[in-house]
């Protein structure tokens, strides 16, 4: 009982429900291990009693971070302050655009008053101030501007408290109604000029073409986070070294202004020839995308580019970038420089270098100054091309533009875990509990953020992450958005079945998200597929976070289980036929995805049983499409069926409709096949035609199949956002 109470005080679950009628108890040793990762020693009954007594005796006037939503009631921490308490809010200068430099904003001071009593007061006594109307803050409260501030409280008995105050708008900006766009894994999109994989030049070109030629409103890409270097590099974009900074492997080298002034033209020509050979191998010789080989060529080219002096204007822009990014960029660049010398896993570095603020690290920072500057410059160049891609999208009339993707976590050996060690729960990994699709659960190998450290630091790491990602985005997709509420923690060395849920302060996580997205004028799409706790989708929708609805999963689960009619779909979502983790639409319609999983030994039933179940599922959808007159009766043409699927998506009220770019040319291969590692070339395949032959960006945009499909989507597309519909 004591362990359960202690766990509850720290947001650690001691049981969970994989389905409404089933409750599973979490092993005590799992709870003890998770508490230890949170700095709580519960190893013995005596330890539990000691920690429980300490936790229950602590009386905080304010939690470390307080959230207020504009126009909404104050949280209990503020609404319940003793009457007569003095409340002072110090707005942060950095959160007040246009505030004169060097002159701190005036603090907002106020005094808490007692709420009006329920009983009438005696005659002759002064009438108390009326209680606030529902949905409004009390009259004494002076709303601070949106931002992250400091709040100071002093009670009449002279108790004092200081906390971070997150003041957020009530809701996120929304995208234009009925916009459609493409979903693509950028590395898979090779053009005739690519260096062996798709790059930011290709992204800008795709956006410019899609907005102008087929009326698309957005292009959604995979996470472009910095990867952990080394050979072989983990190809998954969802297990990065850093989520805060992008990977320079995505640079289009020739677009860098200094490229044209490199003196050693012969060396550049040799590198370009090698890059052309890489692309030729991928496009025409059956080779897989080799990120390591691409990076080696680009790194050599970028070393030459870095030797070119910056012009005064470029130098000023670079200096502004350094000042804006501050310590976070310097730490990231230093990690990259140290990794070049000592390898990509900082746990194996010399002891003196394993902490970013140690004296040994300070000496290394001075010794590696040139390499630190090189990696800072790469971050600057990549940010510039990200901005150029978004400008290209906006110039093409896109109402949203580039939709970037936020991975759920980072590699345990990477730059973020080194530079922010105190923020991560070491010895823990994020995953998923057992469910109907995976009886063994999942371990994603990603260390989770500590919710207590996030709150104590005012969510500084989270705020910086979002600000960096949103700087050049039209919208943001959040992978496993349920992680804003809770994450499944798996102790190191144990199976995923021995994990448990750890809660995060969802109000604070959402408030920071809404605030930063509001500042950037961006929308947010949450990937909310799979098991979602009760109330989570409702909480996300209230704040304007769009959901993700995939056609094959949209059934009347509370009724007859049949495919959900288009008018019954939710409005606030991105509607798609597939994602990067699912079969392409052609593979789904033909059953190719079942035979692929059979060849790889991934089926839990016989091939015949799986094919029968899959055929039944697909047939129900095709029958609905036929009844709605979206699919000509008796038409077994695959292209017609793909068009019908997207015609159905367009009929739903979904705000956004996403088209998987490989679907436009009939690609049958998934980009990622969950449950596989080296059995399948995850994250290394170029977009291909139905026969598996790779196709370039130029060939995709000229494809009659693509243009036939996009005609289905064109009618509802607004070329520009309606007034008041897009940016604040």
């Amino acid at each position: 009982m004591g362990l359960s109470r202690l766990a509850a005080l720290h947001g650690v679950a001691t049981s969970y429900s994989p389905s409404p009628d089933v409750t599973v108890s979490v092993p005590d040793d799992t709870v003890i291990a998770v508490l230890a990762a949170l700095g709580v020693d519960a190893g013995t009954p005596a330890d539990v009693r000691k920690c429980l007594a300490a936790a229950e005796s602590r009386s905080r006037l304010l939690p470390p971070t307080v959230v207020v939503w504009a126009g909404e009631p104050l949280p209990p921490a503020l609404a319940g302050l003793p009457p007569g308490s003095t409340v002072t809010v110090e707005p942060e200068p950095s959160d007040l655009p246009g505030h004169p430099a060097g002159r701190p904003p005036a603090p907002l001071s106020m005094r808490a008053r007692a709420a009006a009593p329920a009983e009438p007061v005696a005659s002759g006594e002064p009438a108390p101030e009326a209680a606030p109307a529902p949905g409004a803050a009390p009259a004494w409260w002076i709303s601070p501007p949106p931002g992250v501030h400091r709040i100071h409280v002093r009670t009449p008995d002279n108790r004092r408290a200081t906390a971070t105050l997150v003041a957020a708008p009530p809701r996120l900006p929304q995208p234009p109604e009925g916009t459609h766009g493409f979903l693509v894994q950028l590395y898979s999109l090779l053009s005739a000029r690519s260096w062996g994989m798709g790059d930011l030049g290709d992204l800008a070109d795709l956006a410019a073409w899609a907005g102008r030629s087929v009326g698309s409103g957005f292009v959604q890409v995979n996470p472009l986070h910095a990867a952990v270097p080394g050979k072989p590099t983990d190809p998954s974009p969802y297990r990065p070294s850093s989520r805060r900074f992008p990977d320079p492997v995505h640079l289009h080298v020739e677009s860098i202004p200094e490229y044209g002034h490199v003196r050693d033209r012969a060396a550049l020509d040799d590198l370009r020839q090698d890059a052309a050979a890489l692309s030729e191998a991928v496009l025409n010789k059956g080779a897989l995308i080799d990120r390591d080989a691409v990076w080696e060529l680009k790194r050599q080219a970028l070393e030459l580019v870095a030797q070119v002096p910056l012009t005064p204007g470029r130098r000023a822009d670079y200096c502004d970038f350094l000042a804006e990014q501050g310590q976070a960029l310097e730490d990231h660049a230093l990690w990259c420089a140290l990794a070049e010398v000592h390898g990509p896993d900082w746990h194996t570095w010399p002891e003196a270098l394993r902490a970013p603020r140690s004296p040994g690290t300070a000496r290394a920072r001075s010794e590696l100054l040139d390499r630190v500057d090189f990696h800072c410059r790469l971050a600057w160049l990549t940010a510039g091309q990200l901005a150029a891609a978004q400008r290209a999208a906006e110039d093409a009339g896109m109402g949203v533009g580039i939709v970037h993707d936020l991975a759920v976590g980072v590699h345990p050996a990477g730059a973020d875990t080194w530079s922010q060690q105190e923020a991560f729960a070491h010895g823990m990994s994020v995953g998923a509990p057992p469910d109907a699709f995976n009886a063994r659960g999942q371990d994603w190998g990603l260390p989770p953020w500590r919710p207590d450290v996030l709150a104590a630091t005012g969510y500084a790491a989270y705020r910086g992450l979002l600000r960096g990602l949103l700087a050049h985005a039209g919208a943001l997709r959040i992978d496993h958005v349920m992680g804003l509420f809770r994450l499944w923690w798996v102790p190191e060395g144990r199976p995923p079945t021995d994990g448990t849920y750890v809660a995060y302060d969802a109000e604070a996580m959402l408030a920071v998200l809404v605030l930063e997205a509001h500042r950037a004028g961006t929308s947010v799409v949450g990937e909310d597929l799979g098991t979602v706790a009760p109330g989570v989708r409702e909480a996300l929708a209230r704040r304007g976070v769009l959901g993700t609805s995939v056609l094959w999963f949209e059934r009347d689960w509370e009724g007859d289980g049949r495919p959900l009619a288009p008018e019954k779909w939710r409005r606030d979502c991105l509607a798609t036929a597939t994602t990067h983790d699912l079969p392409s639409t052609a593979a789904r319609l033909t059953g190719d995805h079942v035979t692929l999983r059979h060849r790889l030994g991934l089926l839990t039933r016989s091939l015949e049983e799986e094919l029968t179940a899959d055929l039944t599922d697909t047939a129900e959808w095709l029958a609905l499409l036929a009844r709605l007159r979206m699919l000509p009766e008796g038409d077994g043409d695959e292209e017609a069926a793909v068009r019908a699927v997207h015609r159905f998506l367009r009929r739903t009220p979904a705000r956004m409709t996403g088209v998987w770019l490989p679907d436009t040319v009939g690609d049958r291969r998934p980009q990622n096949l969950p449950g596989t590692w080296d059995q399948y070339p995850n994250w290394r395949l170029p977009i291909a035609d139905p026969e598996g032959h790779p196709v370039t960006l130029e060939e995709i945009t000229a494809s009659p199949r693509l243009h036939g499909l996009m005609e289905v989507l064109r009618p509802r597309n607004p070329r520009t956002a309606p007034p008041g519909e897009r940016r604040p």
Side-chain angles (χ1 to χ4, degrees):
M1 186 64 178
L3 180 62
S4 297
R5 281 168 44 213
L6 183 62
L9 288 172
H10 292 86
V12 179
T14 54
S15 65
Y16 68 97
S17 298
S19 59
D21 56 343
V22 176
T23 299
V24 178
S25 295
V26 175
D28 284 354
D29 55 353
T30 293
V31 175
I32 292 169
V34 170
L35 285 171
L38 292 169
V40 180
D41 183 2
T44 68
D47 293 329
V48 171
R49 289 192 296 271
K50 178 180 177 181
C51 290
L52 190 59
E56 291 180 336
S57 66
R58 282 195 296 266
S59 176
R60 295 189 65 101
L61 188 58
L62 290 178
T65 296
V66 180
V67 170
V68 293
W69 301 94
E72 297 186 12
L74 291 183
L78 295 180
L81 288 174
S85 296
T86 300
V87 181
T88 304
V89 175
E90 287 186 66
E92 292 182 353
S94 61
D95 287 318
L96 293 176
H99 191 84
R103 184 180 302 169
L108 304 173
S109 295
M110 57 206 90
R111 187 178 296 274
R113 303 184 182 123
E119 301 293 333
V121 296
S123 177
E125 292 185 7
E129 183 172 321
W140 62 266
W141 176 253
I142 303 173
S143 296
V148 180
H149 317 301
R150 296 297 289 171
I151 184 169
H152 307 277
V153 171
R154 187 180 66 191
T155 64
D157 59 358
N158 211 34
R159 287 185 297 151
R160 298 170 184 263
T162 297
T164 299
L165 177 70
V166 180
R171 190 170 166 81
L172 287 159
Q174 296 296 290
E177 288 275 7
T179 188
H180 68 73
F182 292 111
L183 320 176
V184 63
Q185 300 283 289
L186 181 56
Y187 59 83
S188 72
L189 182 68
L190 281 75
S191 70
R193 65 182 187 178
S194 300
W195 284 35
M197 62 182 279
D199 58 42
L200 292 171
D202 298 323
L203 176 59
D205 205 40
L206 174 65
W209 169 83
R212 289 184 166 89
S213 298
V214 294
S216 294
F218 66 91
V219 174
Q220 177 182 301
V221 294
N222 55 285
L224 303 182
H225 309 319
V228 176
K231 295 182 180 179
T233 300
D234 185 342
S236 172
Y238 291 92
R239 203 161 180 254
S241 169
S242 173
R243 296 187 294 174
R244 175 65 180 82
F245 295 99
D247 198 314
V249 75
H250 299 112
L251 282 168
H252 180 244
V253 179
E254 292 95 326
S255 294
I256 299 171
E258 289 74 36
Y259 177 87
H261 300 280
V262 171
R263 291 186 176 181
D264 194 346
R265 306 308 299 180
L268 278 184
D269 289 343
D270 288 344
L271 291 171
R272 291 184 63 181
Q273 289 179 10
D274 291 343
L278 276 181
S279 288
E280 172 68 14
V282 172
L283 294 172
N284 295 309
K285 297 181 179 179
L288 298 174
I289 292 171
D290 188 341
R291 182 198 175 282
D292 294 332
V294 172
W295 173 238
E296 180 56 28
L297 294 178
K298 288 192 176 182
R299 184 195 61 76
Q300 294 180 49
L302 292 167
E303 298 276 8
L304 295 172
V305 170
Q307 295 173 15
V308 178
L310 298 175
T311 64
R314 292 274 288 167
R315 168 61 63 181
D317 186 66
Y318 179 43
C319 290
D320 282 352
F321 179 79
L322 293 176
E324 180 182 304
Q325 303 302 319
Q327 188 70 55
L329 175 59
E330 187 176 333
D331 286 345
H332 175 73
L334 177 58
W335 183 92
C336 294
L338 288 169
E340 292 176 336
V341 178
H342 301 288
D345 185 349
W346 62 267
H347 299 91
T348 66
W349 292 356
E351 186 72 32
L353 302 177
R354 294 180 193 172
R357 303 291 172 259
S358 71
T361 301
R363 287 192 298 272
R365 197 181 301 263
S366 298
E367 294 165 359
L368 297 171
L369 199 58
D370 287 346
R371 297 309 297 168
V372 171
D373 181 70
F374 175 70
H375 290 289
C376 285
R377 186 178 294 202
L378 295 189
W380 170 60
L381 294 173
T382 311
Q385 291 196 5
L386 287 169
Q390 177 63 12
R391 283 196 302 271
E394 293 174 343
D395 290 347
M398 285 190 167
V400 177
I402 309 301
V403 182
H404 286 282
D405 199 351
L406 173 60
V408 71
V410 293
H411 196 286
D416 282 3
T417 58
W418 176 76
S419 61
Q420 303 169 13
Q421 292 178 40
E422 69 288 345
F424 288 92
H426 300 284
M428 294 288 144
S429 176
V430 174
D435 57 29
F437 300 100
N438 194 327
R440 293 174 292 185
Q442 300 175 58
D443 183 343
W444 302 331
L446 308 169
W449 264 336
R450 285 181 53 165
D452 57 331
V453 174
L454 286 177
T457 56
Y459 294 82
Y462 179 47
R463 286 188 279 132
L465 166 62
L466 290 175
R467 196 168 295 187
L469 278 172
L470 295 170
H472 309 300
L476 179 67
R477 174 191 181 269
I478 299 181
D479 192 43
H480 193 70
V481 72
M482 296 82 77
L484 300 180
F485 295 76
R486 66 179 187 178
L487 284 172
W488 184 258
W489 287 24
V490 181
E492 185 176 358
R494 303 189 190 195
T497 49
D498 285 355
T500 190
Y501 280 114
V502 175
Y504 291 75
D505 185 342
E507 279 289 287
M509 299 290 278
L510 282 171
V512 171
L513 174 65
V514 171
L515 173 64
E516 294 299 339
H518 185 82
R519 284 168 161 165
T522 57
S523 308
V524 176
V525 177
E527 185 270 296
D528 58 350
L529 304 175
T531 303
V532 183
V536 167
R537 286 197 174 102
E538 292 77 7
L540 292 170
R542 182 184 178 196
R543 299 304 172 194
V545 179
L546 304 185
T548 300
S549 294
V550 178
L551 181 131
W552 311 101
F553 302 153
E554 291 296 312
R555 289 175 171 268
D556 183 8
W557 298 114
E558 296 180 0
D560 57 15
R562 294 186 180 278
L564 199 63
E567 66 274 10
K568 293 185 178 180
W569 282 43
R570 54 180 168 171
R571 174 174 176 265
D572 294 328
C573 74
L574 166 64
T576 72
T578 190
T579 72
H580 59 269
D581 282 333
L582 296 172
S584 69
T585 304
R588 175 80 67 172
L589 291 169
T590 59
D592 285 1
H593 69 109
V594 177
T595 56
L596 171 61
R597 290 189 291 123
H598 172 67
R599 289 199 305 271
L600 297 174
L602 300 176
L603 299 184
T604 57
R605 297 182 291 181
S606 70
L607 176 60
E608 292 73 20
E609 288 176 301
E610 289 282 352
L611 282 172
T612 299
D614 187 70
L615 176 62
T616 301
D617 183 87
T618 303
E620 287 186 341
W621 278 103
L622 293 177
L624 175 59
L625 297 177
R627 287 198 301 274
L628 295 174
R629 299 181 182 276
M630 296 179 181
L631 181 67
E633 188 174 348
D635 192 336
D637 179 70
E638 176 191 300
E639 288 190 43
V642 172
R643 288 195 297 270
V645 164
H646 289 84
R647 190 175 288 116
F648 178 95
L649 294 175
R650 204 62 168 144
R651 180 80 65 86
T652 72
R655 275 187 171 272
M656 301 173 72
T657 303
V659 180
W660 180 235
L661 190 61
D663 272 352
T664 66
V665 290
D667 198 344
R668 281 169 160 71
R669 306 177 301 179
Q671 283 293 315
N672 177 52
L673 191 59
T676 63
W677 182 247
D678 55 2
Q679 309 99 304
Y680 185 80
N682 295 319
W683 319 113
R684 290 173 286 171
L685 292 172
I687 297 174
D689 64 18
E691 287 71 44
H693 188 277
V695 288
T696 64
L697 170 61
E698 293 83 0
E699 292 168 329
I700 293 170
T701 57
S703 166
R705 180 167 180 156
L706 176 145
H707 286 275
L709 175 58
M710 298 313 292
E711 281 299 321
V712 170
L713 300 174
R714 189 185 297 272
R716 273 184 66 201
N717 177 71
R719 279 302 301 265
T720 57
E725 187 64 68
R726 178 64 191 126
R727 296 185 181 270

